[in-house]
Amino acid sequence: DIIEKDDSFSVNMELPGIDKNDITVSLKEGVLHVEAESSSDEEEKDGETILRSERHYGKYIRRFNLGKNVDNNEVKANFNNGMLKLNIPKREIVEKEATNITIE
């Protein structure tokens, strides 16, 4: 979920089964990049005989263009119980006035 407010964006992502250390979040030129990896090994044995062995691997990548008016330096991130929450403040973009060029 991405919620735009007057002064910030709130991003909430459910990442069940993902460890905090397996999540990478970056923000460059207004593009939010979230990458997460998961893996699990499960084995069922009866004595020395393996009855079932399963391995699951997954990689998740999401990119969102939030616009160039976000403040990269003030982003707050929290991960708790499989929920990643980001608060991304907006900044005011100062429009530069056009420069008059003299023709010689």
Side-chain angles (χ1 to χ4, degrees), residues 15-75:
L15 298 168
I18 306 284
D19 187 79
K20 175 181 159 183
N21 297 324
D22 294 329
I23 302 171
T24 303
V25 180
S26 63
L27 182 61
K28 182 178 181 183
E29 296 180 2
V31 178
L32 176 66
H33 179 93
V34 180
E35 188 172 324
E37 290 188 50
S38 69
S39 64
S40 66
D41 295 325
E42 193 174 322
E43 189 172 85
E44 186 178 318
K45 283 186 171 185
D46 184 14
E48 291 297 315
T49 306
I50 298 175
L51 300 176
R52 180 179 58 88
S53 180
E54 293 185 24
R55 291 167 195 82
H56 301 278
Y57 300 96
K59 187 170 188 173
Y60 311 94
I61 299 173
R62 292 299 311 256
R63 289 185 186 95
F64 305 98
N65 188 350
L66 301 177
K68 299 212 184 250
N69 66 332
V70 292
D71 190 346
N72 294 11
N73 299 319
E74 297 297 324
V75 177

